[in-house]
Amino acid sequence: RFCLPLVLASLPTMATGEEIIPALQDSWGDFWLFRFFVNAAGYASIVVPGFLLIQYFKRRNYLETGRGICFPVVKSCVFGSEVKSVHQEDGSLPPRGEPTESSTARQVFKLLFCAAGLQASYLTWGVLQERVMTRTYGATETEPGEKFKDSQFLVFMNRILAFTVAGLYCALTKQPRHGAPMYKYSFASLSNVLSSWCQYEALKYISFPTQVLAKASKVIPVMMMGKLVSRKSYEYWEYLTAALISVGVSMFLLSSAPNRHVSTVTTFSGIILLAGYIIFDSFTSNWQDALFAYKMSPVQMMFGVNVFSCLFTVGSLLEQGALLESVRFMSRHSEFTAHAVLLSVCSACGQLFIFYTINQFGAAVFTIIMTLRQAFAILLSCLIYGHTVTVVGGLGVAVVFVALFLRVYARSRMKKRSKKLPPGETPVQKV
């Protein structure tokens, strides 16, 4: 019975070969691998009964034989109400209407508004994320303060606000008739929750610039997941830019500053968590792409995914007793409460700005804005929290962003070319 705690306690030492930070490893129960399995067990306690119920209704052919007050709910959750529509070229992106009779000044104002909203939302979100996960609260001259350790609670806070915002938006605006079985959102929701948890947890072991650069390079696993999940094919320029991105990331990760600080050391645990984030996030985007084959708007997707995200996280927190502990932490530290609330507001507002920007200007402009945001996030983190980047590391960052801009340019050219193809031909699918 004592083997598992001993193994979990020794893993960080064996993996990193470095001295363990006492604030991060107060006990083996605080180690990320143990927390991951505990969280996964909590999600399984909801997923497994749900899976058995879905199989039961399908075996009984409930769609034909069911009746009563529960029938509409079961039908919506298990069977849906409409057949799939023709899959759009950009999957998760709704068709963008061209602006009509709109002045250039007005379009420029809209573009600046979108860019400012995205930059403000996600730059603030990134700074707060690093503050919450890497700094202490309540520190005085005599007391060292305490760190907030439960990443799952932050995921819950983000999702509950996003769920509320999306629900209000759907209630107040006209949306397409929903036809997808609700349970299908749970797959994207579970992978989204796990990717967000890995993202928060990774900041305990790696620097924020490293995490941002890894997120910028997730196009590589997205392509791999696209081949596995959706059987997509890619063109030569996509492989070329993916290779450039991998080279740039390798240069950044392998470079070392002369005076390395504990907070900037990229540990083995951090690499594993980053890999988990990228894998789960890649699955989320590809599964959502498949779900958009049903007639739905992006806000309906946001609502459906966040419904299950709230269910998974609150269920797991209640089972572990961690919800009350996190609320007590909030009551002890009002500064943390303000940071957690603002973190959730930035996340929810950022998602709305994403939908509006794509609808008004398309995916290419949105990608350029978000790529610039990632570069600004690295610079801002280095200025505020004192991270150091070597010349080789800076060159690696430059290579990554040059590859991303080349990817945006090549994709826009391919889209223009695909519009000129004969009706019978279809372009190669792209990430």
Side-chain angles (χ1 to χ4, degrees), residues 146-427:
E146 56 180 335
K147 287 186 177 182
F148 184 75
K149 300 176 181 178
D150 198 339
S151 302
Q152 186 176 211
F153 181 75
L154 294 176
V155 177
F156 168 70
M157 288 281 290
N158 289 354
R159 298 302 176 267
I160 193 69
L161 187 59
F163 160 74
T164 304
V165 170
L168 289 174
Y169 190 93
C170 290
L172 298 176
T173 60
K174 186 178 180 180
Q175 300 292 323
R177 183 183 176 186
H178 188 267
M182 286 296 294
Y183 81 89
K184 290 193 174 184
Y185 290 106
S186 64
F187 299 98
S189 175
L190 185 59
S191 61
N192 180 255
V193 167
L194 290 172
S195 69
S196 298
W197 183 86
C198 289
Q199 182 181 4
Y200 280 114
E201 202 71 14
L203 285 175
K204 297 178 181 179
Y205 303 94
I206 61 171
S207 66
F208 183 75
T210 303
Q211 187 186 88
V212 171
L213 199 64
K215 289 165 64 177
S217 64
K218 69 181 181 180
V219 63
I220 304 169
V222 167
M223 289 175 64
M224 296 173 62
M225 196 67 69
K227 276 189 167 295
L228 292 175
V229 176
S230 306
R231 304 296 181 186
K232 291 183 179 180
S233 57
Y234 304 99
E235 296 196 354
Y236 71 93
W237 57 267
E238 294 179 284
Y239 291 107
L240 175 62
T241 53
L244 286 175
I245 289 171
S246 63
V247 169
V249 171
S250 300
M251 291 172 62
F252 181 84
L253 294 180
L254 295 177
S255 64
S256 58
N259 300 316
R260 298 173 70 188
H261 189 269
V262 170
S263 64
T264 62
V265 173
T266 302
T267 66
F268 182 77
S269 293
I271 296 297
I272 296 297
L273 286 166
L274 266 184
Y277 159 75
I278 292 174
I279 291 171
F280 288 127
D281 192 65
S282 300
F283 175 84
T284 301
S285 60
N286 279 281
W287 188 265
Q288 287 179 324
D289 181 73
L291 273 183
F292 271 106
Y294 295 92
K295 297 177 181 178
M296 69 175 72
S297 69
V299 182
Q300 286 176 319
M301 172 70 76
M302 178 180 172
F303 178 80
V305 170
N306 283 295
V307 165
F308 285 97
S309 297
C310 292
L311 178 63
F312 290 142
T313 52
V314 75
S316 180
L317 287 168
L318 288 173
E319 290 173 6
Q320 300 173 35
L323 184 61
L324 292 178
E325 179 58 34
S326 298
V327 172
R328 293 192 194 101
F329 190 94
M330 294 179 71
S331 65
R332 292 196 301 270
H333 306 288
S334 58
E335 185 183 9
F336 169 77
T337 304
H339 288 168
V341 172
L342 187 56
L343 197 68
S344 303
V345 170
C346 290
S347 177
C349 291
Q351 291 185 54
L352 293 178
F353 272 110
I354 286 174
F355 299 145
Y356 183 76
T357 304
I358 292 175
N359 179 262
Q360 292 292 318
F361 300 101
V365 172
F366 165 74
T367 305
I368 292 173
I369 294 173
M370 294 305 285
T371 302
L372 289 173
R373 191 271 303 179
Q374 291 167 335
F376 291 150
I378 292 177
L379 178 62
L380 198 60
S381 178
C382 291
L383 291 176
I384 295 177
Y385 298 108
H387 298 299
T388 57
V389 179
T390 64
V391 175
V392 176
L395 185 60
V397 173
V399 170
V400 169
F401 287 106
V402 167
L404 290 174
F405 280 114
L406 285 175
R407 192 176 186 86
V408 172
Y409 173 75
R411 185 173 180 179
S412 64
R413 291 292 301 270
M414 290 299 297
K415 281 187 177 180
K416 291 179 180 179
R417 186 185 303 175
S418 66
K419 293 179 181 179
K420 301 177 181 179
L421 289 176
E425 299 183 24
T426 56

